[in-house]
């Protein structure tokens, strides 16, 4: 089986292959920039070759004229139906960042089942910051605001704001309270990621929320051979996402369950 870490690093490199941009601070503006990539990767990252699906979705509600995002929603739904949250586990750069932070030698915390209910927060954030707030700003001011990108997204802070501020003096001079707020969110999530596995994916990420809807329906993903399963629950005890069932809405198909299954009842492939 291909190592997940290799695919994660490869995806991050392919998404951000405009490497000279990190030195010059110039964004890639070629034809690939109109293509939505599967994972969360900021459009304004100096290395980015494609567009973030969340940013693209919000941009439909932020212009002078509203446009229904047929292409963006269609792309997200197609990816979701094919792979579900496998994208979160294998092809999301910010997911990779959290995985690396969790490997640091710090105490690890497994949340109580009651606190796991906080995972529902990402659905509220998705509805509020991807749709309600952008449309509300549009009807109030005549132009919408990409609310999630502007007020929350830590990937944008890490991949775009910080690299661009590093090489562009005028950007550093323009940084204010909003940047400080988003930097605080990023720092908090980085610290939390050393203690709790993927807090952003579990409690905040709207893209993960959307993909999770398709987790049970996806063509490819984790599957259980019921004839081999002995009900020992080793898979759930070792699940870093603390899923209630293998392949449920929180499952990112990381493969840890398959590694510990004593009867090899768990595998990945076409369902």
């Amino acid at each position: 089986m291909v190592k997940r870490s290799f695919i994660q690093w490869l995806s991050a490199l392919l998404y951000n292959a405009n490497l000279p941009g990190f030195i010059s601070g110039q964004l890639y503006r070629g034809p690939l920039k109109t293509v939505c990539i599967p994972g969360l990767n900021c459009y304004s990252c100096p290395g980015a070759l494609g567009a973030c699906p969340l940013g693209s979705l919000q941009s439909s509600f932020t212009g002078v004229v509203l446009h229904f995002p047929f292409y963006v929603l269609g792309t997200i739904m197609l990816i979701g139906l094919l792979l579900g949250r496998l994208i979160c586990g294998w092809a999301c750069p910010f997911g990779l960042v959290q995985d690396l932070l969790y490997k640091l030698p710090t105490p690890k915390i497994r949340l109580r089942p009651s606190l796991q209910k906080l995972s529902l927060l990402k659905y509220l954030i998705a509805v509020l910051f991807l749709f309600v707030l952008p449309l509300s700003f549009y009807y109030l001011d005549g132009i919408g605001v990409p609310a999630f990108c502007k007020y929350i997204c830590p990937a944008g802070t890490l991949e775009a704001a910080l690299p661009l501020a590093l090489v562009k003096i005028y950007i550093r001079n323009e940084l204010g309270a909003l940047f400080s707020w988003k930097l605080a969110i990023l720092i908090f999530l980085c610290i939390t990621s050393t203690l709790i596995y993927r807090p952003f994916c579990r409690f905040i990420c709207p893209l993960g929320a959307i993909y999770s809807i398709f987790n049970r329906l996806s063509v490819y993903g984790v599957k259980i051979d019921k004839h081999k399963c002995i009900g020992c629950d080793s898979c759930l005890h070792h699940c870093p996402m603390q899923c209630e069932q293998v392949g449920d809405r929180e499952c990112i198909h990381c493969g840890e369950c398959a590694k510990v299954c004593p009867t090899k009842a768990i595998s990945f492939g076409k369902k």
Side-chain angles (χ1 to χ4, degrees), residues 228-244:
K228 292 183 178 180
C229 179
I230 57 175
C232 65
D233 286 344
S234 291
C235 49
L236 301 182
H237 294 320
H238 289 84
C239 176
M241 293 291 285
Q242 295 184 246
C243 293
E244 295 179 358

Side-chain angles (χ1 to χ4, degrees), residues 6-19 22 28 32 35 37-38 41 45 47-51 90-91 93 96:
F6 172 76
I7 301 297
Q8 288 179 290
W9 281 103
L10 180 62
S11 298
L13 179 60
L14 290 176
Y15 292 167
N16 299 289
N18 182 41
L19 299 181
F22 289 103
Y28 169 78
L32 291 176
V35 178
I37 60 170
N41 194 76
C45 173
L49 294 182
W90 291 71
L96 171 61

